[in-house]
């Protein structure tokens, strides 16, 4: 470095490098300028100056200088290395790798460049290159522990576990017998556990167990040691030893469900689907009775039997489990028991059990068969459980009755208002739900969770501006809304995006969905620093798990929702493109002068408001600068409403970007292929649309959406012109060959297939709606018949032994979808009105259908209560319903006394 410079300037060059490493950028710039005064064309100095400027956010100058430096000295490895570092800082990893490879052509044994290259190869999953680079590093510096470990990890990631084991053993062969010293025992123990996990992964289980026991004194993490040992014993079929070891682990942590599951496996009493024979149930019951005597304070040992017991035994165990929690007042009891509602008959037993407890507490003040009186709060928590129970079963009127009774009993418990809000949301009244959630929030302004739940309810009610004001109460001062983005608050951005999408504000919806996608990109980038850190700290098992997690990162639900939301926005944008400025000018020229004037005034006011907001932000930034002495790095958002996002030339091309990610990472999701069908049909990509239909049939052939896409696709194919070109003939041949592979269409016309689908699913509303829609597509003249098919649907009762009323089969969201179908596709507003009236009876709390009990009806019970709170009734002592989001309106709390 700087070899072509005189001694004085060579020392200055070393100072530039040191200043860069110690982040003293101004000092480094000064030294670079001193060299460039005498040697203005010195390539390495120009490159280092550019790299320093890059760290000072002067990127355009940085690239210019680095490229000039490289041009002046193409054979300098320093220039190529610096160019790679510049690309790396901008996440252009592929370009950075090219630069590093060019640098290595000039200086093949440069440790720094090889190390940087290996990090990028790990990041980009260039595993073959990663192995090669790590091997080169080990060859150059075999006395460095990190090089041995790095080479082993590289081989493991490249699916060569046995080679990785050999490398680790070769490394151990270089160590002395008394290794490790006390300050390296943890790191060495981690390396040994990693090696044993590798042996297990390679199928060398016996050898792994032998190695584990041999190296026990050198392993510090004794819990990990025992867990690894018991895993190996299970795989070797040594279940007696495994059983004893699981019992030791339970003595260490009697609430770990995995240990109980492992113990059952060792005893031959585990079933993945939860189905057991009577003999197995008896043995399991005896096992957990003995364990409950040993670990009487463990809740897991009492909860697990509820999964396999049934009938009277289940009832007794459930009663013994529930009673203490109701007495203590544990709000999460229903969440704990909710998986049992998927077991046949258990929900009815729980209902009868808790109703009996409620009746006994109301009449005698205690539980059945007990003399001791229960505290007054027990009744309230019993009602709290019952409200959630009936909410789960869709009996919203009963649920609201129970929660109102609980609120009347104890009006100061926040959880009651939160649950009532959730019930109203499920019942279809998001506005009333938001108001109740806001009331809960006002009862404890320091509770972030309650605040977040309130924000979520407001967004579900499409009160976005109010939700934003409420959310920022818990963010730092200054750029409050941006703070939510910086905190990667994805649930907020998703809920906001979905709300904007419902309201038709595609720009803002896209902005929110793409913000979530940006968070996932950031999470992917965040792994970069761990490639060197984990090898240095020897957290190898966790490191490999983290890399596997990163590889499936985009399969998680938040990304799936964000990508699906963005695709829906682009599809809407394609179907109804936004007007260009020229079209808007043309439309304005057609308006009368008075309206033109009003419109221009409105535009000027909006521009002035935006300008004022920008000035306020700039002023806030200036204040922050004067206080801290540092300029905030956060750039001002130049497109707060997402208007630029709507100005894409090809919305379908943008949608395809996210669709490919969904197809790669969420191929088992029906929604992925439904979106693929919609995108490719619009793009006229017939074979890709066929592929989407085949995937949907594979995943769920009886789904209404699958049927809809199948019929639509072949109806579209049937209406296509005869093929002319060779490509069209080839596509036609594929379609003719593929049609018989669909069992629904074998030897049948589309109309016959549609009729057969109806016969098969006659009792399902969603299936009838899909059939009706396809009738309107294939036979437009039979639209009346399609509407009758929907209106003839009956809302049958679901078989239930529920003690308090029947449960209807129809779901609110399905009925809303049918109403939208009648309005937007079948275009029959009279039928839609009849459907709305009918559904308002079934769903009295639904605001969409304007049910009699919903907030959408002026004289509903909700609105009467709201007015009562606003006017202030002398006989009403409960808290005011505060749906305005203003935290200062807390007069109702002034005289509140909690006894």
């Amino acid at each position: 470095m700087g070899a072509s410079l005189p001694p004085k300037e060579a020392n200055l060059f070393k100072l530039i490098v040191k200043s860069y490493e110690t982040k003293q950028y101004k000092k480094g710039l000064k030294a670079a300028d001193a060299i460039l005064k005498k040697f203005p064309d010195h390539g390495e100095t120009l490159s280092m100056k550019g790299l320093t400027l890059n760290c000072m956010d002067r990127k355009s100058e940085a690239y210019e200088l680095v490229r000039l430096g490289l041009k002046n000295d193409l054979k300098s490895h320093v220039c190529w290395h610096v160019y790679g570092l510049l690309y790396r800082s901008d996440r252009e990893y592929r370009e950075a790798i090219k630069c590093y490879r060019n640098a290595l052509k000039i200086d093949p044994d440069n440790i720094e460049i090889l190390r940087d290259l290996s990090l990028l190869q790990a990041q980009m999953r260039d595993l073959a290159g990663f192995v090669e680079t790590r091997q080169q590093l080990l060859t150059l510096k075999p006395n460095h522990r990190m090089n041995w470990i790095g080479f082993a990890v590289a081989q493991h990631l490249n699916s060569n576990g046995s080679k990785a084991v050999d490398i680790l053993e070769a490394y151990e062969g270089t160590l002395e017998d008394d290794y490790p010293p006390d300050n390296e025992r943890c790191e060495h123990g981690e390396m040994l556990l990693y090696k044993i996990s590798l042996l297990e992964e390679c199928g060398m289980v016996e050898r792994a167990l032998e190695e584990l026991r041999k190296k026990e004194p050198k392993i510090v993490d004794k819990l990990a040691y025992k867990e690894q040992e018991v895993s190996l014993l299970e795989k070797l079929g040594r279940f007696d030893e495994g059983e004893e070891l699981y019992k030791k682990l339970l003595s260490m942590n009697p609430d770990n469900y995995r240990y109980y599951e492992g113990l059952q496996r060792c005893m031959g009493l585990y079933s993945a689907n939860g189905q057991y024979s009577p003999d197995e149930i008896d043995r399991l019951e005896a096992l957990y009775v003995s364990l409950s005597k040993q670990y009487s304070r463990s809740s897991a040992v009492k909860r697990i039997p509820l999964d396999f017991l049934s009938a009277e035994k289940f009832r007794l165990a459930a009663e013994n489990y529930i009673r203490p929690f109701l007495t203590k007042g544990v709000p999460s009891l229903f969440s704990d028991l909710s998986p049992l509602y998927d077991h046949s008959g258990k929900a009815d037993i729980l209902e009868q059990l808790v109703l009996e407890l409620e009746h006994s507490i109301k009449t005698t003040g205690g539980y059945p068969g007990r003399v001791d009186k229960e505290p007054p709060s027990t009744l309230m928590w019993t009602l709290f459980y019952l409200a959630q129970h009936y909410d789960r079963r869709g009996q919203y009127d009963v649920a609201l009755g129970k929660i109102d009774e609980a609120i009347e009993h104890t009006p100061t418990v926040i959880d009651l208002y939160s649950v009532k809000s959730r019930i109203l949301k499920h019942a279809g009244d998001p506005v009333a739900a938001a108001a109740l959630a806001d009331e809960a929030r006002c009862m404890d302004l320091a509770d972030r969770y309650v605040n977040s739940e309130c924000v979520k309810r407001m967004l579900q009610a499409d009160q976005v501006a109010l939700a934003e004001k409420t959310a920022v109460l818990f963010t730092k001062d200054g750029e409050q809304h941006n703070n939510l983005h910086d905190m990667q608050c994805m649930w907020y951005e998703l809920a906001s995006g979905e709300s904007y999408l419902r309201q038709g504000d595609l720009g803002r919806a896209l902005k929110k969905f793409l913000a979530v996608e940006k968070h996932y990109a950031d999470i992917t980038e965040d792994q970069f620093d761990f490639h060197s850190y984990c090898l240095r700290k020897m957290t190898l098992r966790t490191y490999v798990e983290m890399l596997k997690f990163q590889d499936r990162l985009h399969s998680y639900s938040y990304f799936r929702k964000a990508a699906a939301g963005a695709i829906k926005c682009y599809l809407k944008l394609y179907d109804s493109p936004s007007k260009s400025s020229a079209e808007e000018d043309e439309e304005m020229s057609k308006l009368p002068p008075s309206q033109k004037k009003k419109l221009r005034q409105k535009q000027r006011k909006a521009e002035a408001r935006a300008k004022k907001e920008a000035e306020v932000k700039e002023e806030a930034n200036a204040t922050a600068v004067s206080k801290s002495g540092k300029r905030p790095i956060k750039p001002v958002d130049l497109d707060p409403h997402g208007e630029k996002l709507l100005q894409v030339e090809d919305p379908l091309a943008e949608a395809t970007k996210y669709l490919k990610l969904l197809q790669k990472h969420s191929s088992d999701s029906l929604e992925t292929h439904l979106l693929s069908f919609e995108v490719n049909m619009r793009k006229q990509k017939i074979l890709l649309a066929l592929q989407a239909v085949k995937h949907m049939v594979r995943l769920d052939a009886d789904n209404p959406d699958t049927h809809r896409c199948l019929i639509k696709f072949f109806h579209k194919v049937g209406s296509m012109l005869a093929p002319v070109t060779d490509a069209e003939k080839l596509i036609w041949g594929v379609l003719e060959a593929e049609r018989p592979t669909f069992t629904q269409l074998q030897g049948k016309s589309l109309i016959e297939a549609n009729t057969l689908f109806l016969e098969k699913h006659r009792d399902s509303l969603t299936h009838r709606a899909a059939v009706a829609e396809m009738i309107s597509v294939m036979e437009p003249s039979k639209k009346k018949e399609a509407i009758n098919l929907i209106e003839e649907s009956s809302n049958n009762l679901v078989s239930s032994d529920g003690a308090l009323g029947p449960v209807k089969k129809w779901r609110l969201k399905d009925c809303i979808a049918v109403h939208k179908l009648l309005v937007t596709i079948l275009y029959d507003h009279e039928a839609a009105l009849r459907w709305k009236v009918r559904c308002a009876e079934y769903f009295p709390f639904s605001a969409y259908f304007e049910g009699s009990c919903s907030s959408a009806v002026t004289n509903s019970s909700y609105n009467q209560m709201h007015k009562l709170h606003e006017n202030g009734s002398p006989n009403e002592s409960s808290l005011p319903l505060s749906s305005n989001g203003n935290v200062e309106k807390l007069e109702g709390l002034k005289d509140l006394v909690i006894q």
Side-chain angles (χ1 to χ4, degrees), residues 685-704:
K685 301 282 187 182
I686 299 298
L687 292 183
L688 289 175
L690 173 64
Q691 187 185 54
V693 172
K694 285 176 74 72
H695 281 305
M696 291 176 76
V697 170
R698 173 180 60 83
L699 289 170
D700 188 356
D702 291 330
N703 189 286

Side-chain angles (χ1 to χ4, degrees), residues 444-674:
D444 186 354
L445 297 172
D447 192 321
R448 185 193 288 266
Y449 172 77
V450 177
N451 180 274
S452 298
E453 196 168 63
C454 174
V455 170
K456 193 175 181 182
R457 296 283 173 265
M458 287 172 172
L459 291 170
Q460 287 162 351
D462 294 336
Q463 301 168 353
V464 183
L466 188 57
E468 188 179 313
K469 287 177 185 174
T470 309
V472 298
L473 295 172
F474 276 86
T475 61
K476 293 176 184 175
D477 293 331
E479 288 286 328
Q480 293 186 320
H481 188 251
N482 284 346
N483 194 258
L484 288 166
H485 177 78
D486 295 339
M487 290 192 296
Q488 297 185 339
C489 193
M490 287 190 267
W491 67 264
Y492 171 80
E493 285 167 333
L494 277 174
S496 299
E498 285 162 2
S499 177
Y500 282 129
L501 182 57
R502 284 193 296 271
Q503 296 174 67
D505 190 342
L506 297 183
R508 283 180 167 149
L510 260 178
K511 194 166 181 67
K512 294 296 181 186
F513 290 135
L514 298 189
V516 175
E517 192 269 336
K518 170 76 167 56
H519 295 324
Y520 273 81
D522 290 341
I523 292 167
T524 303
E525 295 305 322
D526 288 343
Q527 70 177 298
F528 187 85
D529 293 330
F530 291 97
H531 297 310
S532 57
Y533 174 84
C534 291
L535 296 182
R536 193 170 66 252
K537 293 291 184 182
M538 301 288 275
T539 54
L540 306 174
R541 291 176 302 149
T542 313
Y543 173 59
V544 172
E545 280 176 27
M546 185 269 290
L547 293 180
K548 288 177 182 175
F549 159 75
Q550 288 283 356
D551 290 339
R552 62 176 187 273
L553 181 67
H554 290 87
S555 65
Y556 285 85
S557 61
Y558 275 6
F559 179 80
R560 202 161 56 238
K561 287 177 185 174
I567 293 168
K568 286 172 188 172
C569 288
Y570 285 123
L571 288 174
K572 283 197 172 187
L573 192 58
Y574 175 81
D575 295 338
S576 308
S578 55
K579 293 170 186 172
S580 65
S581 55
E583 287 173 331
E584 286 177 358
D585 291 342
E586 191 182 332
E587 281 191 9
M588 190 179 275
S589 65
K590 293 175 185 175
L591 294 173
S594 58
Q595 287 188 15
K596 264 190 210 176
K597 190 178 177 183
K598 282 181 183 175
L599 197 59
R600 283 202 184 98
Q601 283 177 346
K602 200 174 181 182
Q603 285 173 346
R604 278 198 291 269
K605 281 182 183 176
E607 285 169 11
R609 199 182 303 117
K611 190 178 178 183
K612 192 177 178 183
E613 284 175 7
E615 284 172 2
V616 168
K617 282 182 182 178
E618 198 62 45
E619 195 178 320
N621 283 350
T623 311
V625 170
S626 61
K627 283 182 182 175
S628 64
K630 292 180 182 177
R631 179 163 288 278
I633 322 163
K634 278 188 269 183
V636 178
D637 189 355
L638 300 173
D639 185 26
H641 303 315
E643 289 165 4
K644 289 180 183 175
L645 295 171
L646 297 179
Q647 294 166 9
V648 290
E649 289 183 14
D650 188 355
L652 293 181
E654 295 297 318
T656 305
K657 289 179 190 175
Y658 300 101
L659 180 61
K660 283 179 179 174
L661 283 168
L662 285 179
Q663 287 172 324
K664 183 179 178 183
H665 298 283
S666 300
S667 58
D668 288 337
S669 167
L670 193 75
E671 187 183 23
T672 297
H673 304 295
L674 178 59

Side-chain angles (χ1 to χ4, degrees), residues 124-143:
M124 299 302 294
R125 302 295 190 273
D126 174 13
L127 299 177
F130 185 40
V131 168
E132 186 186 330
T133 308
R134 292 308 318 189
Q135 185 171 13
Q136 203 171 344
L137 278 166
L138 179 59
T139 308
L140 290 169
K141 225 173 180 180
N143 59 343

Side-chain angles (χ1 to χ4, degrees), residues 227-243:
E227 289 180 340
Q228 183 69 65
E229 185 181 12
V230 80
S231 169
L232 295 170
L233 288 169
E234 266 194 81
K235 287 188 176 179
L236 289 167
R238 291 156 67 170
F239 296 120
D240 292 341
E241 292 175 66
E243 184 182 331

Side-chain angles (χ1 to χ4, degrees), residues 106-326:
I106 300 158
D107 186 3
D109 295 339
N110 189 299
I111 298 285
E112 284 294 322
I113 300 172
L114 283 167
R115 192 178 296 127
D116 284 346
L117 176 61
S118 74
L119 298 181
L120 288 182
Q121 287 168 330
Q123 179 78 3
M124 299 302 294
R125 302 295 190 273
D126 174 13
L127 299 177
F130 185 40
V131 168
E132 186 186 330
T133 308
R134 292 308 318 189
Q135 185 171 13
Q136 203 171 344
L137 278 166
L138 179 59
T139 308
L140 290 169
K141 225 173 180 180
N143 59 343
H144 202 303
R145 179 185 73 179
M146 190 172 157
N147 290 340
W148 285 95
I149 303 303
F151 187 34
V153 170
Q155 291 285 7
H156 178 203
L157 295 175
N158 199 33
S159 306
N160 198 348
S162 57
K163 184 74 174 173
V165 171
D166 292 342
I167 294 160
L168 290 174
E169 287 185 340
Y171 165 66
E172 284 184 89
T174 65
L175 304 175
E176 296 174 5
D177 292 338
D178 60 348
Y179 189 87
D182 288 343
N183 62 337
E184 291 184 21
R185 288 189 70 223
C186 285
E187 286 90 340
H188 188 67
E190 275 296 316
M191 189 273 288
L192 293 172
L193 285 169
Y194 173 64
K195 177 187 161 186
I196 288 151
S197 70
L198 274 175
L199 286 167
E200 183 182 10
E201 195 177 303
C202 294
M204 297 181 271
V205 185
E206 190 75 57
R207 184 179 160 194
L209 183 62
E210 186 185 328
E211 185 75 14
L212 181 72
R213 287 177 171 169
K214 182 181 170 185
K215 298 291 171 61
E216 181 185 1
K218 293 187 177 184
I219 295 172
V220 178
D221 188 345
K222 295 302 178 188
L223 178 62
Y225 172 87
K226 284 187 170 64
E227 289 180 340
Q228 183 69 65
E229 185 181 12
V230 80
S231 169
L232 295 170
L233 288 169
E234 266 194 81
K235 287 188 176 179
L236 289 167
R238 291 156 67 170
F239 296 120
D240 292 341
E241 292 175 66
E243 184 182 331
E244 290 304 313
L245 197 46
Y246 270 122
K247 286 178 179 177
K248 286 180 184 175
L249 285 166
L250 279 171
S251 66
M252 295 166 71
N253 182 1
D255 279 307
N256 191 317
Y257 279 72
R258 288 190 300 111
Y259 297 162
Y260 288 103
E261 190 180 300
L263 179 60
Q264 285 180 217
R265 280 198 303 270
C266 289
M267 296 178 74
L269 295 173
Y270 178 73
S271 168
N273 60 9
Q275 301 297 316
Y276 298 97
S277 67
D279 178 54
E280 286 173 333
I281 290 172
D282 290 342
R283 288 172 62 200
L284 278 169
E285 189 182 2
L287 169 67
Y288 280 95
V289 165
S290 66
L291 288 172
S292 63
K293 290 174 184 174
Q294 281 180 270
Y295 313 117
S296 57
R297 296 176 68 86
S298 166
S299 62
V301 80
K302 299 182 186 80
R303 170 64 184 82
I304 293 170
L306 300 182
D307 290 328
F308 59 79
L309 292 174
S310 57
E312 192 58 34
K313 286 183 178 179
F314 169 78
R315 181 192 166 86
L316 287 170
E319 187 170 4
N320 291 333
Y321 185 73
I322 288 170
R323 281 187 181 190
F325 285 115
L326 292 178

